[in-house]
């Protein structure tokens, strides 16, 4: 080649070298564009044929589902299943109003709950089979309701019953489907309908719906043929339960009245199946998207424990269940199967971990015990060391009240007994049949709670070992056990919003007068200025001596003047007060007075005069307090005595340093959030227990009333938004010894931290020595 050819080759090589870094990008873009154009041509070519096919045979059956559902593509009207942002539109003609936005993302995006379960029952089986269903599987489902035709039926404990007032089977099915659509159609994706003579494996049903797509019209169950009907048409047998998707329920609801008037049937499941087929063209299927709805029909006098058929082991629903005893035996049988599967899966996973550990950089030394449980917590300093608690079979040497020794009782005693039995069971399972161990005595016991893995135990056991030939020998054996933390689950809670009005209740005594001005200023700044939905009621507690002289000198006259100034500044605000005369200001007696003067749906916040009210905490008070479900007792943050913390230095900034300036006061129960209806219910039970012995109320707080006389959740948690300035509380010696002792401890622990107290003592000793 000549010079010209070689120079051209060099230029080409230089060009390729320059393009080499971007060559994959260019190839990727060109390939993507080609595929998109190719896909667009296919879509345009097939769209017209599909439309013509659909127009040619409306409502035709296609072996179980429509073409669009079978191919996994959403049909028309399925936009409702996509997450959406709720738009905000402000009308310029209306005054501006603060927008209330929920704190739950799934609410704002329009997400639905997964599964709703409806159980059809009757007068004869309500107190038998329906109760058995409720005790076996109800706690596994997030929402379960019972439907019956009885009128004003007595509801068994723990069940939610909907009575339609007509026992005709077809009418009951019609009313049930209508009720589900009206009350839950917009909240759930799947609806499972079963009878009370059906045993359903709850976990299998929940697993089934998680593997199905919600953008299809699903009618899934045990497919049965109609008598003398179309060979292709199938209905879902009601005895084995069936699953209906939300999209199918929405399309079916407009045709329910027509089905009730036009379709004649004896069985309600056949009536519902015929309605779905005639008006929607959808037939029942037993498998969809690779998921099978497996069922098992019980024969008479069946022994579930002796049945070893694979169909029964894999069954999702079993029918018919003749009595309660058979229901419980089935539940025990399937629970044992699931437990064996779980143990086998644990063993398989542990074996895989052992095999893979040798390939890791740490080798076999990196394998933790027990296999699959987190390694023990490694402290980085001496302050992070987790201490061990010593115990025997009779006593505990680390007591909650701080005493050096206390009797082992209650849950602690049951825990120790169970862990010793578990240790013996593990030893016997490992050494049998060569040796068999029996316990003589627990020599030493140690336990500690490791937040990374669970409760750890170390036991020194005195054992008697017996060989196969009958020879026995006594020996001491040390064993280590771990009770790991179980699966963390989200407890379903009723829905609450931040729009609830909060009624603040502030008890005031003569000793609190110096702090009222700061409380009212903070209340005005954080609630009245921000137009927060909160009201305030003052409770003036007069000593009998001050109450007699109230006409000459009112000790609360200054506070009433402050309230009058606030009402003048905020014309729409009214701050009422209640006057009480007593020597012993019992918290329960005071709440009795306030409770009678407010509606039952009032949300109370029982505050103290040292509390600084802010919107952040009020919102948490609304969210954490649920009527007929939960009460909230926050643990406020108590600032230390600035004279001891700073010792003449400049005080801290407005941003509180929790580790230096204060602590969470766990001894105080002065603040509480609860509904008036819940308090009245618990107070009624308390009144029946004490039988007019009012002196008992002086030893109780509102917390004790809810703890002992209500079945509600008591939520007690640290609350960083509830801050109190330092103040020396006046402890009333007329209250009970426990309440007085708790008040004194609160004052002592609120002085300063140990380091600050040590520095103060050191400086005092230095000053005395000089």
């Amino acid at each position: 080649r000549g010079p010209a050819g070689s120079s051209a080759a060099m230029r080409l090589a230089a060009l390729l070298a320059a393009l080499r870094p971007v060559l994959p990008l260019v190839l990727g873009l060109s390939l993507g564009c080609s595929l998109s154009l190719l896909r667009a041509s296919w879509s345009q070519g097939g769209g017209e044929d599909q439309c013509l096919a659909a127009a040619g045979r409306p409502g035709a059956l296609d072996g179980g589902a429509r073409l669009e559902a079978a191919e996994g593509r959403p049909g028309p009207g399925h936009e409702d299943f996509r997450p959406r942002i709720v738009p905000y539109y402000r009308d310029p003609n209306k005054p501006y109003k603060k927008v209330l936005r929920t704190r739950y993302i799934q609410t704002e995006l329009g997400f639905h709950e997964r599964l709703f379960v409806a159980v059809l029952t009757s007068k004869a089986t309500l107190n038998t089979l329906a109760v058995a269903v409720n005790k076996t599987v109800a706690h596994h489902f997030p929402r379960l309701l019972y439907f019956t035709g009885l009128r004003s039926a007595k509801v068994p404990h723990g069940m939610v019953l909907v009575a339609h007032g007509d026992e005709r089977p077809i009418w009951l099915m019609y009313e049930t489907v209508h009720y589900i659509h009206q009350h839950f159609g917009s909240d759930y994706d799947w609806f499972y309908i079963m009878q009370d003579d059906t045993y359903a494996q709850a976990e299998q049903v929940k697993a089934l719906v998680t593997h199905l797509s919600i953008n299809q019209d699903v009618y899934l169950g045990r497919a049965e043929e109609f008598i003398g009907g179309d060979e292709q048409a199938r209905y879902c047998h009601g005895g084995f339960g069936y699953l209906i998707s939300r999209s199918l329920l929405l399309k079916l609801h407009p045709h329910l009245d027509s089905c009730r008037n036009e379709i004649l049937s004896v069985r309600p499941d056949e009536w519902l199946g015929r309605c779905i087929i005639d008006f929607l063209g959808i037939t029942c299927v037993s498998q969809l998207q690779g998921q099978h709805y497996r069922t098992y029909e019980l024969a008479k006098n069946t022994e579930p424990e002796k049945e070893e058929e694979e169909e029964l082991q894999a069954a999702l629903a079993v029918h018919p269940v003749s009595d309660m005893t058979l229901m419980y035996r089935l539940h025990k049988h399937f629970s044992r199967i699931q437990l064996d599967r779980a143990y086998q899966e644990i063993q398989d996973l542990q074996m895989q971990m052992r095999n893979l550990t040798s390939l890791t950089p740490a080798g076999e030394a990196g394998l933790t015990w027990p296999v699959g449980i987190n390694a023990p917590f490694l402290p980085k300093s001496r302050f992070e060391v987790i201490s061990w608690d010593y115990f025997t079979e009779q006593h505990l040497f680390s007591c909650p009240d701080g005493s050096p020794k206390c009797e082992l009782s209650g849950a602690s005693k049951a825990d120790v007994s169970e862990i010793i039995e578990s240790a013996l069971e593990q030893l016997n399972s490992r050494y049998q049949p060569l040796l068999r161990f029996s316990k003589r005595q627990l020599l030493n016991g140690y336990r500690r709670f490791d937040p990374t893995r669970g409760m750890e135990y170390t036991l020194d056991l005195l054992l008697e070992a017996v060989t196969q030939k009958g020879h026995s020998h006594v020996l001491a054996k040390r064993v280590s056990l771990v009770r790991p933390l179980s699966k963390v689950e989200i407890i379903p809670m009723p829905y609450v919003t931040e729009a609830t009005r909060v009624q603040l209740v502030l008890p005031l005594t003569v000793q609190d007068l110096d702090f009222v001005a700061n409380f009212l200023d903070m209340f005005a700044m954080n609630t009245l200025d921000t137009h927060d939905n909160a009201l305030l009621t003052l409770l003036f507690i007069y000593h009998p001596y001050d109450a007699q002289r109230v006409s000459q000198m009112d000790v609360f006259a200054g506070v009433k003047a402050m309230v009058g100034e606030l009402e003048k500044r905020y014309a729409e605000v009214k701050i009422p007060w209640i006057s009480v005369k007593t020597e012993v200001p019992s918290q329960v007696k005071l709440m009795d007075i306030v409770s009678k003067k407010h509606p039952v749906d009032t949300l109370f916040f029982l505050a103290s005069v040292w509390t600084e009210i802010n919107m952040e905490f009020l919102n948490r008070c609304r969210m954490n307090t649920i009527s007929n479900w939960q009460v909230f007792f926050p643990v406020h943050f108590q600032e230390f005595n600035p004279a001891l913390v700073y010792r003449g230095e400049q005080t801290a900034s407005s941003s509180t340093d929790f580790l230096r300036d204060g602590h969470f006061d766990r001894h105080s129960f002065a603040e509480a959030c609860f509904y008036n209806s819940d308090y009245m219910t618990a107070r009624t039970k308390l009144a029946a227990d004490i039988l007019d012995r009012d002196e008992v109320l002086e030893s109780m707080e509102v917390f004790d009333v809810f703890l002992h006389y209500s079945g509600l959740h008591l939520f007690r948690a640290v609350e960083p938004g509830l801050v109190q300035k330092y103040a020396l509380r006046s402890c009333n010696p007329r209250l009970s010894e426990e309440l007085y002792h708790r008040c004194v401890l609160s004052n002592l622990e609120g002085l300063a931290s140990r380091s600050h107290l040590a520095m103060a003592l050191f400086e005092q000793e230095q000053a005395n020595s000089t």
Side-chain angles (χ1 to χ4, degrees):
R1 290 182 297 180
S6 61
S7 61
M10 293 176 63
R11 287 195 297 271
L12 181 60
L15 180 61
L16 290 177
L19 293 177
R20 182 171 297 172
V22 298
L23 188 60
L25 177 62
V26 175
L27 291 177
L29 290 175
S30 60
L31 182 61
C33 294
S34 302
L35 291 177
S36 62
L37 292 175
L38 186 62
R39 182 179 181 278
S41 63
W42 286 350
S43 300
Q44 293 174 1
E48 185 178 357
D49 296 338
Q50 292 178 6
C51 294
L52 291 176
R57 48 184 185 92
L61 297 172
D62 54 356
R66 295 189 177 184
L67 180 62
E68 59 197 19
E71 295 181 355
R73 299 197 307 271
H78 287 285
E79 292 79 4
D80 185 52
F81 296 101
R82 300 174 182 173
R84 62 188 185 279
I85 302 295
V86 179
Y88 167 63
Y89 170 73
R90 177 182 175 186
D91 191 349
N93 299 324
K94 295 182 178 179
Y96 173 73
K97 185 179 180 182
K98 180 183 176 181
V99 180
L100 179 65
R101 296 190 63 179
T102 175
R103 290 193 176 186
Y104 298 107
I105 296 177
Q106 69 170 15
T107 303
E108 190 161 346
L109 295 181
F111 286 179
H112 305 130
E113 297 293 335
R114 175 67 66 178
L115 180 64
F116 173 85
V117 180
V119 181
L120 304 179
T121 183
S122 63
K123 178 180 180 180
T125 59
L126 175 61
N127 294 301
T128 55
L129 289 175
V131 173
V133 171
N134 191 67
K135 291 183 178 181
T136 54
V137 300
H139 55 282
H140 292 280
F141 291 119
R143 190 65 182 271
L144 186 144
L145 262 66
Y146 297 85
F147 294 87
T148 181
L150 295 175
R151 187 181 300 276
S152 65
K154 184 178 180 180
V155 184
H157 179 70
M159 298 172 57
V160 181
L161 185 68
V162 178
H164 296 306
D166 196 323
E167 296 186 3
R168 291 176 295 176
I170 304 301
W171 183 267
L172 175 62
M173 177 62 70
Y174 164 78
E175 289 291 342
T176 299
V177 177
H178 179 73
Y179 184 92
I180 293 174
H181 175 273
Q182 183 179 4
H183 294 85
F184 306 103
S186 58
D187 299 331
Y188 291 86
D189 287 329
W190 298 99
F191 301 90
Y192 185 66
I193 302 176
M194 58 180 286
Q195 299 174 180
D196 57 3
D197 60 347
T198 304
Y199 177 79
Q201 291 202 63
E203 297 299 330
Q204 299 292 338
V205 175
K206 292 193 294 185
L208 175 67
V209 298
T210 57
H211 290 84
L212 295 177
S213 177
I214 62 174
N215 63 351
Q216 297 188 23
D217 299 333
V218 177
Y219 182 34
L220 183 64
R222 176 165 173 166
E224 299 283 347
E225 295 183 3
F226 289 97
I227 299 177
D230 189 356
E231 295 182 356
Q232 295 183 355
R234 299 286 190 276
Y235 72 94
C236 289
H237 195 290
F240 298 94
Y242 43 90
L243 196 67
I244 295 178
S245 63
R246 178 173 177 266
S247 61
L248 178 65
L249 181 66
L250 296 179
K251 294 178 182 179
L252 177 65
H253 182 259
H255 307 291
L256 285 178
D257 292 335
S258 301
C259 293
R260 184 189 58 181
N261 299 327
E262 299 175 7
I263 299 176
L264 299 178
S265 180
V266 178
R267 293 171 53 95
D269 49 2
E270 289 187 8
W271 174 83
L272 181 63
R274 176 58 64 187
C275 180
I276 296 175
I277 292 172
D278 291 351
F279 289 91
L280 301 181
I282 299 174
T283 184
C284 176
V285 293
S286 297
Q287 59 179 353
L288 184 67
Q289 301 177 16
Q291 302 299 314
H292 296 265
Y293 192 90
R294 306 183 189 277
T295 59
Y296 185 82
E297 186 172 357
L298 282 178
K300 292 184 178 180
N301 302 323
T302 302
E303 299 289 337
E305 298 83 2
K306 299 180 181 180
E307 292 288 338
E308 297 181 357
E309 298 184 21
E310 294 185 0
E311 295 182 0
L312 177 62
Q313 311 294 338
L316 188 143
V318 179
H319 174 79
V321 182
S322 57
D323 53 42
M324 298 176 62
T325 304
L326 183 57
M327 182 78 73
Y328 296 137
R329 292 168 62 188
L330 282 170
H331 185 64
K332 179 181 179 180
H333 176 67
F334 283 107
S335 298
R336 172 56 61 184
I337 293 175
Q338 293 179 1
L339 192 61
D340 293 340
R341 290 174 181 171
Y343 283 139
Q344 185 61 43
E345 185 178 355
I346 291 174
Q347 293 180 2
D348 296 340
L349 291 174
Q350 289 178 341
M351 184 60 66
Q352 294 177 16
M353 291 178 183
R354 291 190 182 97
N355 297 334
L356 293 175
T357 304
S358 60
L359 304 178
T360 60
E364 295 183 359
L367 186 65
T368 60
W369 179 89
V371 180
I373 305 297
N374 294 333
F377 171 73
L378 295 177
K380 297 180 180 179
S381 66
R382 63 186 179 91
F383 300 103
E384 297 179 357
V385 175
I386 304 175
S387 61
W388 290 86
D389 299 333
Y390 180 78
F391 62 89
T392 62
E393 292 186 78
Q394 293 81 24
H395 295 91
L396 182 66
F397 293 83
S398 179
C399 305
D401 57 355
S403 58
K405 181 181 178 181
C406 56
E407 185 178 355
L408 195 65
S409 61
S412 295
K413 187 175 182 63
D415 177 57
V416 172
S417 301
E418 183 180 356
I419 208 67
I420 293 175
E421 293 178 2
S422 179
L424 288 174
E425 181 181 350
Q426 294 293 331
L427 287 172
N428 287 321
S429 63
R430 175 173 296 185
Y431 293 102
Q432 277 186 351
L434 300 178
L435 293 174
R436 179 172 181 81
F437 294 96
S438 59
K439 181 181 71 72
R440 282 284 190 91
Q441 182 184 356
L442 173 64
L443 300 176
N444 302 294
Y446 309 89
R447 69 179 180 182
R448 71 173 184 178
F449 178 72
D450 189 337
T452 62
R453 53 197 262 133
M455 187 70 78
E456 298 179 340
Y457 303 86
T458 299
L459 305 179
D460 292 332
L461 295 171
L462 186 65
L463 304 171
E464 181 180 2
V466 181
T467 63
Q468 288 179 306
K469 296 182 179 181
H471 301 292
S472 62
H473 180 68
V474 178
L475 74 159
K477 185 77 173 177
R478 167 166 285 194
V479 296
S480 298
L481 302 98
V482 176
R483 189 192 296 272
L485 294 173
S486 59
K487 179 183 177 182
V488 179
E489 298 181 0
I490 299 178
I491 301 176
M493 302 289 285
Y495 179 77
V496 292
T497 66
E498 298 176 353
T500 308
R501 172 175 293 176
V502 179
Q503 178 65 58
L504 280 77
V505 178
L506 179 65
L508 291 175
T509 61
V510 179
Q511 292 80 9
D512 304 330
L513 295 179
D514 296 336
F515 309 98
V516 178
N518 181 67
F519 177 89
L520 294 177
D521 290 341
M522 297 299 297
F523 174 77
M525 180 176 63
N526 294 328
T527 59
L528 300 182
D529 291 342
T530 58
H531 301 284
D532 191 85
N533 195 9
L535 301 177
L536 174 64
T537 297
L538 299 179
L539 197 61
F540 297 139
I541 305 173
Y542 287 89
H543 190 272
Y545 175 75
D546 295 329
Q548 295 176 358
R549 303 171 59 249
V550 69
S551 58
Q552 293 82 16
M553 184 184 67
D554 188 357
V555 293
F556 293 106
V559 181
K560 295 177 181 178
M562 297 179 193
V563 172
E565 291 295 331
L566 283 179
E567 291 180 346
K568 290 180 181 179
R569 192 192 314 172
Y570 305 95
E572 71 281 359
V573 175
K574 297 296 180 182
I575 303 179
W577 65 71
I578 303 173
S579 299
V580 180
K581 181 181 70 172
T582 179
E583 292 185 5
V584 185
S586 169
Q587 195 181 52
V588 178
K589 290 183 177 181
L590 297 178
M591 273 309 307
D592 289 345
I593 299 174
V594 178
S595 175
K596 296 176 181 178
K597 297 183 179 296
H598 290 85
V600 295
D601 59 345
T602 303
L603 172 58
F604 285 125
F605 168 44
L606 188 58
S608 60
V609 71
W610 306 281
T611 305
E612 295 184 355
I613 305 298
N614 57 69
M615 187 182 300
E616 178 185 0
F617 167 73
L618 290 179
N619 284 334
R620 272 199 286 269
C621 178
R622 296 182 178 102
M623 303 298 288
N624 292 330
T625 310
I626 305 173
S627 179
N628 199 28
W629 186 270
Q630 179 172 283
V631 292
F632 180 41
F633 286 86
V635 181
H636 67 258
F637 182 79
Q638 177 66 54
E639 292 187 356
F640 288 142
N641 188 347
L644 293 174
V645 173
Y646 305 110
R647 298 185 302 279
E649 300 177 2
Q650 185 177 0
T651 59
S653 60
S654 57
S655 60
T656 306
D657 184 2
F658 288 168
L659 297 179
R660 180 188 177 191
D661 298 336
H663 73 121
F664 289 100
D665 189 2
R666 60 187 178 90
H667 297 291
S668 176
F669 294 85
E671 293 86 11
C673 295
F674 53 89
Y675 279 90
N676 193 16
S677 57
D678 295 334
Y679 177 79
M680 294 171 65
T681 303
R683 186 64 178 86
T684 303
K685 295 180 181 179
L686 171 62
D689 187 30
I690 63 176
L691 299 177
D692 298 332
R693 291 181 291 131
D694 291 342
E695 65 275 5
V696 179
L697 301 179
E698 299 176 1
S699 62
M700 301 183 66
E701 291 184 318
V702 174
F703 178 82
D704 301 314
V705 176
F706 283 109
L707 179 63
H708 299 290
Y709 297 97
S710 76
L712 306 178
H713 295 273
L714 268 69
F715 182 39
R716 181 156 172 81
V718 294
E719 178 52 62
L722 199 61
V723 181
Q724 292 190 7
K725 296 293 184 181
Y726 172 78
L728 187 64
R729 273 69 165 170
S730 59
C731 301
N732 194 333
R734 290 180 173 270
L735 295 175
S736 66
E737 181 180 356
E738 180 183 356
L739 297 181
Y740 181 78
H741 180 65
R742 191 187 300 169
C743 178
V744 173
L745 282 179
S746 178
N747 279 333
L748 294 177
E749 293 186 3
L751 287 175
S753 64
R754 290 186 177 183
S755 59
H756 292 130
L757 292 174
M759 288 299 299
L761 289 175
F762 177 75
E763 292 179 359
Q764 183 179 4
E765 290 179 358
Q766 290 292 327
N768 293 336
S769 63
T770 57

